[in-house]
Amino acid sequence: MLEDGRPGDRPGRLLLVHAHPDDETLTTGVAIAHHVARGDEVHVLTCTLGEEGEVIPPALAHLEGDGPALAAHRRRELAAAMDALGVTHHLLGAPGAGDPPAFRDSGMAGSAAAGHPRAWAAVPLAEAAEAVGEVLAAVGPDVVVTYDAGGGYGHPDHVRTHEATRAAVAAAASPVPLYGTLTPLSWAEEDTGWLHAHVPSDAGWVLPGPDSAYAANVVPDEVVTHAVVDPGVVPRQARALRAHETQVVVGDGWYALSNHHVFRLAGREGYARLDPTTGRPLPEGAA
């Protein structure tokens, strides 16, 4: 459970800020489903519609490279995932349900999409933070959650989402705890062993090997000060992931992305409080 400073006479209110559709379920799906099951009020803010995403199903391959068409399809996927998770959803810069978002997917590092005038990673930080801050003020959360300073694996939109969220929290009228997603090294090692034992090795999936480098958000165990551990919510997380059919393949206790890399659905997520000024994880017990 993610700690907050809410009064004891009402449910908690969480705001989770993500870059693209599917990030919310891949990265924080356990925390979302856990807090919904507790009766907390959970809001998800998505900053772009993922126009630059790769498409997995052959029947939908025509969407790849067609930004508007893929955005429209992923918006429907996102709505289905939000319904499966039972949360309130916000699309950045789109106050109405049918409004287009204010910002666009920037693509991976070095992508030509980063040159688009509304690319999320290239928008001035002050403008990005102001947009996130408007949602923050409207929701009034007890807890805000986003990526660590490296954006999990370095995607420019994830990094910008962290920066904008951190700046919005720092500028908020009332202090609110900010959490970043991190994975303890011991969990990553356990998951690697589990995947090799449970995922077919002859089906084209890419399993982590003994010499594989972990993502940058895999850190020494002591850096991770908070955890949400609830295997019981994995079926709900899996249902939400299946809604993101262009981006994710869901197996029995695992999922794979468009690059065929496989990850475990372990029913646990690690977090740390972040310093909103620096973005660095705070030690356990820090105020």
Side-chain angles (χ1 to χ4, degrees):
M1 182 176 68
L2 298 178
E3 299 171 355
D4 58 66
R6 75 183 186 278
D9 58 351
R10 67 165 175 81
R13 185 179 302 131
L14 293 81
L15 174 65
L16 300 99
V17 188
H18 285 284
H20 315 107
D22 80 8
D23 290 332
E24 78 295 324
T25 312
L26 294 170
T27 310
T28 57
V30 173
I32 290 172
H34 174 80
H35 279 274
V36 167
R38 288 182 70 237
D40 292 330
E41 179 185 333
V42 181
H43 296 253
V44 171
L45 170 60
T46 307
C47 297
T48 81
L49 284 173
E51 292 88 342
E52 297 300 310
E54 296 177 336
V55 175
I56 294 174
L60 298 174
H62 61 281
L63 296 173
E64 190 168 323
D66 184 340
L70 183 55
H73 189 92
R74 294 192 71 178
R75 190 170 192 164
R76 292 191 292 272
E77 291 181 342
L78 182 58
M82 297 300 91
D83 184 63
L85 289 171
V87 305
T88 300
H89 182 252
H90 310 263
L91 183 59
L92 195 61
D99 294 337
F103 306 103
R104 191 185 189 281
D105 185 353
S106 309
M108 299 295 285
S111 170
H116 191 281
R118 303 306 295 164
W120 177 230
V123 170
L125 179 56
E127 181 181 351
E130 181 180 8
V132 174
E134 290 176 357
V135 179
L136 179 64
V139 171
D142 305 302
V143 169
V144 176
V145 181
T146 191
Y147 314 104
D148 69 298
Y153 65 99
H155 192 295
D157 283 341
H158 289 217
V159 174
R160 175 41 52 94
T161 300
H162 163 89
E163 294 169 340
T165 304
R166 179 161 55 84
V169 168
S174 299
V176 57
L178 173 65
Y179 286 85
T181 57
L182 295 167
T183 300
L185 177 59
S186 64
W187 288 9
E189 292 172 341
E190 290 172 10
D191 290 350
T192 295
W194 187 94
L195 289 168
H196 280 271
H198 292 85
V199 177
S201 59
D202 57 353
W205 305 120
V206 179
L207 301 178
D211 300 321
S212 300
Y214 291 118
N217 69 337
V218 175
V219 297
D221 286 24
E222 62 269 19
V223 178
V224 180
T225 55
H226 295 72
V228 180
V229 180
D230 189 351
V233 303
V234 169
R236 173 172 276 194
Q237 183 187 20
R239 285 197 300 274
L241 285 176
R242 289 189 179 95
H244 292 293
E245 62 175 343
T246 60
Q247 308 300 306
V248 187
V249 174
V250 181
D252 185 8
W254 54 270
Y255 67 88
L257 303 178
S258 60
N259 59 7
H260 293 179
H261 284 258
V262 179
F263 304 87
R264 185 183 179 189
L265 287 169
R268 59 188 184 185
E269 292 165 353
Y271 297 88
R273 282 280 301 273
L274 301 180
D275 183 332
T277 302
T278 67
R280 296 191 186 97
L282 295 168
E284 189 169 5

